[in-house]
């Protein structure tokens, strides 16, 4: 009889579930893009630039939009994210930006048969919306090397940072955060191009 009672009670178990129920929130995904303004640099470009894989600094490997509250705490938005890990998107944008700059005869990736004159190594260090300061910031560290024979040698190291304004408030929509971080990233790429101009 006891076994029979247990079997009869089984259909009632789902109704007694203690698991919480959550409403599904569809994530919003944003590209990290930078449109280079203006025309390419005038004059013939002679050097080939090789861009190696961009690394991600600690905390920069998450796809969630990152913001810094007025009290200094970091918020990571899990339902609003980049379309891919931000370092991957930043590397693609870096290729497009410098390729369209007109300062190099070619901008290549590892595996290319073209012999580079310069090699660029980079790491994404900052991509954040600082709500307290009302600004978005994007930054990366860059090491430029000159290819000599088969051994690249360090030429110059840069710490690049771009900024863009943010509206006031601690509860901004993710669209505003992503737009400002994209603008800050474009500002950083423009600063990098200026730094590389003398070596191109």
């Amino acid at each position: 009889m006891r076994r029979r009672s247990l079997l009869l009670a089984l259909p009632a178990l789902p109704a007694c579930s203690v698991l919480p129920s959550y409403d599904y929130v569809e994530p919003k995904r944003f590209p990290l893009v930078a449109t280079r303004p203006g025309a390419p640099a005038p004059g013939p470009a002679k050097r080939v630039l090789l861009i190696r894989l961009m690394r991600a600094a600690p905390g920069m490997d998450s796809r969630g939009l990152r913001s810094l509250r007025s009290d200094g705490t970091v918020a990571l938005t899990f339902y609003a994210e980049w379309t891919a890990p931000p370092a991957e998107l930043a590397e693609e944008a870096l290729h497009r930006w410098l390729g369209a700059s007109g300062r190099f005869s070619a901008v290549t990736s590892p595996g290319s048969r073209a012999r580079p004159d310069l090699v660029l190594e980079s790491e994404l260090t900052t991509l954040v919306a600082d709500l307290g300061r009302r600004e978005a910031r994007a930054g990366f560290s860059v090491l430029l090397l000159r290819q000599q024979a088969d051994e690249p040698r360090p030429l110059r190291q840069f710490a690049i940072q771009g900024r863009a304004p943010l509206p006031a408030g601690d509860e901004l929509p993710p669209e505003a955060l992503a737009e400002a971080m994209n603008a800050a990233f474009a500002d950083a790429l423009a600063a990098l191009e200026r730094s590389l101009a003398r070596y191109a």
Side-chain angles (χ1 to χ4, degrees):
M1 290 295 294
R2 183 179 178 184
R3 183 177 179 184
R4 185 178 178 185
S5 299
L6 289 174
L7 291 174
L8 290 174
L10 285 176
L13 287 178
C16 301
S17 174
V18 295
L19 295 175
S21 60
Y22 297 101
D23 293 333
Y24 172 72
V25 179
E26 185 173 355
K28 296 181 179 180
R29 295 184 174 89
F30 301 93
L32 180 61
V33 294
T35 303
R36 187 182 179 280
K46 298 179 180 179
R47 293 183 172 175
V48 175
L49 176 68
L50 168 65
I51 297 180
R52 289 181 175 165
L53 179 70
M54 181 179 285
R55 300 180 301 274
M60 290 292 102
D61 51 356
S62 172
R63 291 173 56 172
L65 300 188
R66 181 180 294 267
S67 58
L68 189 61
R69 301 188 185 97
S70 300
D71 60 4
T73 57
V74 176
L76 196 61
T77 308
F78 293 101
Y79 296 109
E81 60 185 21
W82 303 109
T83 54
E88 294 181 15
L89 298 175
E91 182 188 337
E92 292 177 11
L94 177 61
H95 270 271
R96 290 193 299 269
W97 186 285
L98 293 180
S101 69
R103 299 188 183 277
F104 302 96
S105 59
V107 177
T108 66
S109 301
S112 171
R113 294 185 178 182
R115 181 178 177 82
D117 302 294
L118 299 169
V119 178
L120 190 147
E121 296 182 352
S122 58
E123 180 180 58
L124 182 65
T125 56
T126 308
L127 189 61
V128 67
D130 190 333
L131 303 176
R133 295 187 178 184
R134 298 185 186 180
E135 69 173 15
R137 294 191 299 275
F140 39 90
S141 61
V142 172
L143 177 63
L144 184 66
L145 304 102
R146 188 189 302 278
Q147 187 76 35
Q148 294 181 345
D150 294 329
E151 185 71 23
R153 299 194 175 183
L155 187 61
R156 182 73 187 274
Q157 190 166 6
F158 306 97
I160 304 294
Q161 190 163 94
R163 291 179 168 85
L166 265 177
D170 269 353
E171 296 295 334
L172 296 179
E175 290 81 3
L177 301 179
E179 181 180 1
M181 283 188 273
N182 271 291
F185 184 63
D187 187 50
L189 290 178
L192 175 60
E193 181 184 340
R194 291 191 298 268
S195 298
L196 295 178
R198 60 175 292 190
Y199 302 98

